[in-house]
Amino acid sequence: MTKLFEPTKVGDITVKNRIVMAPLTRNRSPGAIPNDLNVEYYRQRATAGLIITEATAITHQGQGYADVPGLYSKEALDGWKRVTNAVHAAGGRIVVQMWHVGRISHTTLQPDGGKPVSSTNRVAKAKTYLVNADGSGSFADTSEPRALETAEIPGIIEDYRKAARAAIDAGFDGVEIHGANGYLIDQFIRDGVNDRTDQYGGSVENRTRLAFDVVDAVVKEIGAGRTAIRISPVTPSGESFDSNPQATFTHVVEGLARYGLAYVHVIEGQTGGDRDYRQGENPSFDYRALRQAYEKAGGKASWMVNNGYDRALAIDAAESGRADLVAFGKPFIANPDLVERLAKNLPLNTPDQSTFYGGTAKGYLDYPTLEKVA
Ligand SMILES: C=C(C(=O)O)c1ccccc1
């Protein structure tokens, strides 16, 4: 059997294979509280070596889409406890993706209808998902943000620390800090978004300060072996842009190397799109060089790759050592038993895009598994 299906250690977490369920927003947790549907959805997919939950807001301010779950209320944490119990009972391992959306939000989703916060006061040309009074869902332009005051930033870091502690107390095997896809941390990292003049803006050292302060706080709270981070060097999601992604993200991974993290999760290319997406006039991003820089700086975390992987590409990535773990998104939506299908090289169900966001069990719990079609 190829390496992709072999067990391995990811920080403190022992996983039974290298196939990871990528974070997938599904907008099926009204009130930001995980419910029975969510429990069953994650339980169905527990044969993954590791499940990364959908992006989960660390605070009300960190929420940017309707009906996504949170990590900040007792009801939500009780709901997550049921999810982690179900996944563990099924032999799975699960980490939560901790999310602060920054400016990718809408005033109607913010505390007291306030402005979303970011590194900048410039609005993103981006959409967020709202649920209308009649229960229907729709995408809306994100609202104009306000730039965080310097004095507010320690409070944001504290919010991540508290959420990480709450996650472990809710039974998660670890946390993935969402540093990708144009959300808050990425809004600080990218020089095309961050226009600050304080110690969190300008130089790459300053722009990455928030990312490292968050990693530092989470590692100190729950341990490096249960802490991971996701980055997306070139994705344009959330109108993200950086003038020199190779240099910027080489600095990011060199800084991460000192923490002994469980894994580093890298989205290769445009999230959900072109694997060879380029920012502006920059050449193709060199992902091998990125990992080499990480390891040259002393980094030892497992290396997780994502975006557009199929069976052959994933097997090659694992066999060649280019990646330790491969995360699959849409294939896991439609195939709860993806691991078995990949291991036996059997056909995959096709995901139904119309039921990705919002709704009920349809397109969420009802994809057929092999045993059902046998
Ligand atoms: C959390 C997301 C991300 O990381 O891109 C997301 C949010 C809404 C729709 C799809 C994806």
Side-chain angles (χ1 to χ4, degrees), residues 2-4 18 313-324 326:
T2 71
K3 210 166 177 182
L4 187 68
R18 282 108 184 295
L313 203 51
I315 286 174
D316 177 64
E319 283 300 299
S320 67
R322 192 166 59 77
D324 300 305
V326 181

Side-chain angles (χ1 to χ4, degrees), residues 1-328:
M1 186 61 80
T2 71
K3 210 166 177 182
L4 187 68
F5 304 97
E6 292 174 1
T8 188
K9 199 92 186 294
V10 180
D12 295 349
I13 310 165
T14 299
V15 300
K16 51 185 179 287
N17 60 63
R18 282 108 184 295
I19 296 166
V20 176
M21 178 177 173
L24 293 156
T25 290
R26 303 304 305 275
N27 308 91
R28 285 171 167 85
S29 303
I33 300 168
N35 53 52
D36 291 346
L37 290 183
N38 309 147
V39 173
E40 176 59 8
Y41 168 74
Y42 286 110
R43 187 201 62 76
Q44 287 180 343
R45 291 154 176 82
T47 53
L50 181 66
I51 294 174
I52 306 170
T53 70
E54 62 213 277
T56 299
I58 60 169
T59 55
H60 188 175
Q61 180 194 71
Q63 180 151 353
Y65 296 77
D67 294 352
V68 297
L71 266 177
Y72 55 89
S73 74
K74 183 183 181 309
E75 297 80 4
L77 295 168
D78 290 345
W80 280 126
K81 186 69 181 164
R82 293 170 55 228
V83 170
T84 59
N85 282 341
V87 168
H88 290 150
R93 291 287 173 269
I94 183 169
V95 301
V96 63
Q97 188 187 54
M98 301 200 300
W99 194 23
H100 190 309
V101 294
R103 66 179 184 170
I104 310 301
S105 185
H106 193 272
T107 51
T108 59
L109 296 171
Q110 285 292 307
D112 308 319
K115 286 187 172 184
V117 298
S118 178
S119 59
T120 177
N121 60 12
R122 293 181 296 182
V123 70
K125 295 186 187 71
K127 299 282 186 186
T128 186
Y129 181 81
L130 304 178
V131 173
N132 307 308
D134 65 2
S136 64
S138 59
F139 285 92
D141 291 341
T142 53
S143 302
E144 181 184 321
R146 67 175 179 84
L148 283 161
E149 298 294 333
T150 305
E152 291 180 279
I153 292 176
I156 298 280
I157 295 162
E158 175 64 4
D159 289 337
Y160 277 99
R161 183 197 65 78
K162 283 192 283 192
R165 171 47 52 201
I168 300 302
D169 292 347
F172 284 106
D173 297 292
V175 304
E176 176 182 282
I177 296 163
H178 197 338
N181 291 340
Y183 296 112
L184 183 71
I185 290 174
D186 208 15
Q187 291 161 28
F188 275 78
I189 293 173
R190 310 278 195 109
D191 66 3
V193 180
N194 184 336
D195 55 2
R196 302 180 72 88
T197 56
D198 64 2
Q199 67 266 41
Y200 293 95
S203 68
V204 68
E205 291 78 9
N206 282 358
R207 289 185 278 115
T208 55
R209 190 182 309 280
L210 176 65
F212 296 143
D213 285 352
V214 169
V215 170
D216 193 69
V218 171
V219 163
K220 282 175 179 161
E221 181 63 32
I222 67 170
R226 296 192 179 282
T227 304
I229 187 167
R230 195 185 208 200
I231 56 176
S232 52
V234 300
T235 196
S237 300
E239 205 190 357
S240 278
F241 182 83
D242 192 274
S243 59
N244 188 346
Q246 199 77 44
T248 295
F249 284 88
T250 294
H251 181 82
V252 169
V253 297
E254 286 173 343
L256 293 174
R258 63 176 173 264
Y259 289 103
L261 299 177
Y263 67 83
V264 176
H265 187 176
V266 183
I267 298 174
E268 297 174 337
Q270 176 180 16
T271 307
D274 180 4
R275 282 180 50 78
D276 188 29
Y277 183 86
R278 302 177 193 187
Q279 288 258 310
E281 297 308 307
N282 286 290
S284 291
F285 192 90
D286 187 339
Y287 295 95
R288 288 175 194 271
L290 185 73
R291 185 178 186 182
Q292 285 165 355
Y294 174 70
E295 293 179 343
K296 185 166 177 248
K300 294 180 173 49
S302 296
W303 197 259
M304 186 187 294
V305 296
N306 169 248
N307 198 30
Y309 277 81
D310 59 17
R311 183 177 186 275
L313 203 51
I315 286 174
D316 177 64
E319 283 300 299
S320 67
R322 192 166 59 77
D324 300 305
L325 303 153
V326 181
F328 293 84

